[in-house]
């Protein structure tokens, strides 16, 4: 029997993605692109720690490795980039990527200040490239199910919202002294802010009041370290929200969201790894996830699949059509809104008073 020759035009050209930053999250994203994201390939890896980049490239079969992101920006065989460097470099890298015509997926936050992020997003807009921010909770199955219900009006008009992040721990925080200032707002609760904004879509956060302390590592309080925080948020539609975070939940990784409205309530998230329960003489027990890449493994993959799909759609001169029935992909406005809330929280902690959230950037 002879081979059947397939039409080569039926096979879409894969999206060639360059990774910038091969640390914990960057390595996981690289693994997702190389092994789990259809229609995408890991084309190159850049990291000043060249040995880290080489090790990851060897593991994933990527041949292009460099210490400089400039090489990826200059590479015509790279269509898009994943920015997973330390947060202080995000805005500058977004700007460079856009100027080079590369589509951008950036881990949160998009920047550490609104001025630098606005400049980066202006560059994105001018270049006409696709931009996506790494708010992965939108891609978790239970959070999407909750959003679908909210979009259908199941809960009615939102009145009270809640989101929480409790990172797994053992009662202490390794290397806490090296954690950058305000991480609890800029890199942890920023996820909760986006979740609340997404659940209360159409309303704007107008004011926050934040209280934070070092309750897990109180010896570091005088150095400005914060590991526990509670934030209240007032929205333009009158809804009130609470976001809370702690860096050491002994029972595991705990992420939840909730909307109470005029017609009912919708919840998302669970603290257990599966629905299985054990009933023994010792009581009731269940396994719990201990890593973000355990709890959100599929969500991390799906957000990159969404990114690759958007890049492919733009090849035809268009933009992808939403098929979910609700807003999904977090973009420039979402990145800016959540960062504005995080920065307002920092000012609130400093002043001990409520702080207005900066509005949309002037165009």
């Amino acid at each position: 029997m002879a081979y059947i020759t397939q039409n080569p035009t039926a096979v879409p050209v894969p999206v060639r993605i360059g990774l910038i930053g091969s640390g914990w999250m960057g390595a996981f994203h690289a693994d997702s692109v190389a092994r789990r994201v259809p229609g995408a390939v890991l084309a190159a890896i850049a990291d000043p720690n060249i040995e880290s980049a080489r090790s990851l490239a060897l593991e994933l079969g990527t041949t292009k490795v460099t210490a400089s992101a400039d090489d990826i920006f200059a590479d015509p065989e790279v269509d898009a980039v994943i920015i997973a460097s330390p947060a202080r470099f995000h805005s500058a890298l977004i700007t460079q990527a856009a100027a080079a015509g590369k589509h951008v997926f950036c881990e949160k936050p998009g920047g550490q200040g609104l001025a630098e992020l606005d400049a980066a997003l202006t560059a994105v807009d001018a270049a006409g490239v696709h931009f996506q921010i790494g708010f992965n909770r939108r891609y978790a199955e239970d959070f999407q199910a909750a959003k679908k219900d909210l979009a259908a009006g199941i809960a009615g008009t939102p009145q009270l919202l809640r989101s929480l992040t409790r990172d797994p721990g053992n009662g202490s925080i390794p290397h806490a002294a090296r954690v950058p200032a305000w991480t609890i707002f800029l890199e942890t609760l920023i996820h909760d802010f986006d979740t609340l904004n997404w659940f209360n879509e159409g309303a704007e956060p107008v004011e926050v009041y934040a209280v934070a302390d070092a309750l897990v590592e109180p010896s570091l309080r005088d150095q400005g370290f914060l590991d526990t925080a509670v934030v209240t948020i007032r929205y333009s539609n009158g809804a009130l929200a609470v976001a809370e975070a702690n860096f050491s939940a002994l029972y595991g990784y705990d992420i939840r969201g909730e909307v109470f409205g005029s017609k009912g309530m919708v919840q998302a998230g669970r603290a257990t790894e599966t629905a299985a329960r054990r009933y023994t003489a010792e009581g009731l027990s269940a396994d719990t996830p201990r890593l973000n890449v355990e709890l959100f493994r599929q969500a991390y993959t799906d957000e990159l699949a969404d990114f690759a799909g958007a890049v492919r759609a733009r090849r035809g001169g268009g933009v992808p059509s939403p098929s979910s029935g609700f807003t999904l992909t977090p973009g420039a406005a979402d990145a800016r809104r959540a960062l504005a809330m995080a920065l307002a929280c920092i000012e609130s902690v400093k002043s001990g008073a409520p702080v207005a959230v900066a509005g949309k950037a002037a165009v």
Side-chain angles (χ1 to χ4, degrees):
M1 179 178 176
Y3 286 114
I4 299 172
T5 302
Q6 298 281 60
N7 181 358
T9 61
V11 180
V13 177
V15 175
R16 301 164 298 182
I17 299 177
L19 173 72
I20 301 172
S22 61
W24 168 258
M25 203 63 247
F28 188 81
H29 284 326
D31 187 81
S32 295
V33 170
R35 294 171 172 163
R36 294 184 295 279
V37 176
V41 295
L42 183 64
I45 301 174
D47 195 307
N49 183 345
I50 194 66
E51 290 308 316
S52 170
R54 282 175 174 163
S55 176
L56 182 61
L58 182 63
E59 177 186 348
L60 298 177
T62 302
T63 58
K64 293 182 177 180
V65 180
T66 177
S68 174
D70 291 342
D71 294 327
I72 286 183
F73 297 143
D75 190 342
E77 296 184 344
V78 172
D79 305 308
V81 297
I82 293 173
I83 297 173
S85 64
R88 63 185 181 276
F89 302 119
H90 285 185
S91 288
L93 288 169
I94 293 169
T95 301
Q96 290 178 267
K102 311 300 185 187
H103 303 284
V104 180
F105 178 97
C106 184
E107 266 303 328
K108 49 70 194 169
Q112 294 189 308
L114 290 179
E116 66 179 55
L117 179 57
D118 286 342
L121 297 179
T122 297
V124 165
D125 187 60
V129 297
H130 177 63
F131 174 82
Q132 186 172 326
I133 191 77
F135 289 138
N136 59 290
R137 290 183 201 180
R138 296 186 180 211
Y139 296 86
E141 184 178 10
D142 49 351
F143 279 80
Q144 279 199 27
K147 176 61 177 179
K148 182 178 179 181
D149 283 346
L150 292 169
I154 298 298
T157 303
Q159 296 173 349
L160 295 171
L161 299 92
R162 184 178 185 85
S163 182
L164 65 85
T165 297
R166 295 174 185 166
D167 290 342
N170 59 9
S172 66
I173 304 171
H175 313 301
R178 299 206 297 268
V179 174
W182 308 113
T183 290
I184 199 163
F185 297 117
L186 291 170
E187 300 193 38
T188 301
L189 277 165
I190 198 165
H191 277 295
D192 298 88
F193 299 151
D194 179 69
T195 297
L196 294 168
N197 294 339
W198 189 47
F199 279 176
N200 195 23
E201 191 169 3
E204 291 291 329
V206 296
E207 184 181 78
V208 302
Y209 176 58
V211 178
D213 205 341
L215 302 182
V216 182
E217 297 286 355
S219 64
L220 298 176
R221 183 181 293 116
D222 291 344
Q223 299 179 33
F225 176 74
L226 301 171
D227 53 44
T228 306
V230 176
V231 181
T232 57
I233 305 149
R234 183 165 59 86
Y235 280 91
S236 59
N237 63 351
L240 301 175
V242 175
E244 66 170 76
N246 182 280
F247 285 167
S248 187
L250 272 65
Y251 57 87
Y253 200 36
D254 188 1
I255 306 292
R256 285 176 275 155
E258 176 182 291
V259 178
F260 172 87
S262 58
K263 294 182 179 179
M265 181 174 68
V266 174
Q267 292 180 323
R270 64 174 190 269
T272 57
E273 191 168 12
T274 70
R277 302 288 190 276
R278 303 184 193 92
Y279 296 82
T280 67
E282 286 73 35
L284 171 63
S285 65
D287 291 330
T288 56
R290 300 283 164 164
L291 295 171
N292 57 341
V293 295
E294 293 175 352
L295 182 61
F296 290 119
R297 182 179 180 84
Q298 190 60 47
Y300 282 128
T301 301
D302 289 348
E303 68 177 349
L304 293 180
D306 184 28
F307 175 65
V311 173
R312 282 195 300 275
R314 285 173 179 257
R315 284 176 174 165
V319 294
S321 300
S323 57
S324 57
F326 56 82
T327 304
L328 176 61
T329 307
D334 304 300
R336 191 186 195 280
R337 186 180 292 111
L339 179 60
M341 295 171 73
L343 294 172
C345 286
I346 293 171
E347 293 307 311
S348 180
V349 170
K350 290 178 178 179
S351 67
V355 171
V357 178
K360 298 177 182 178
V363 179

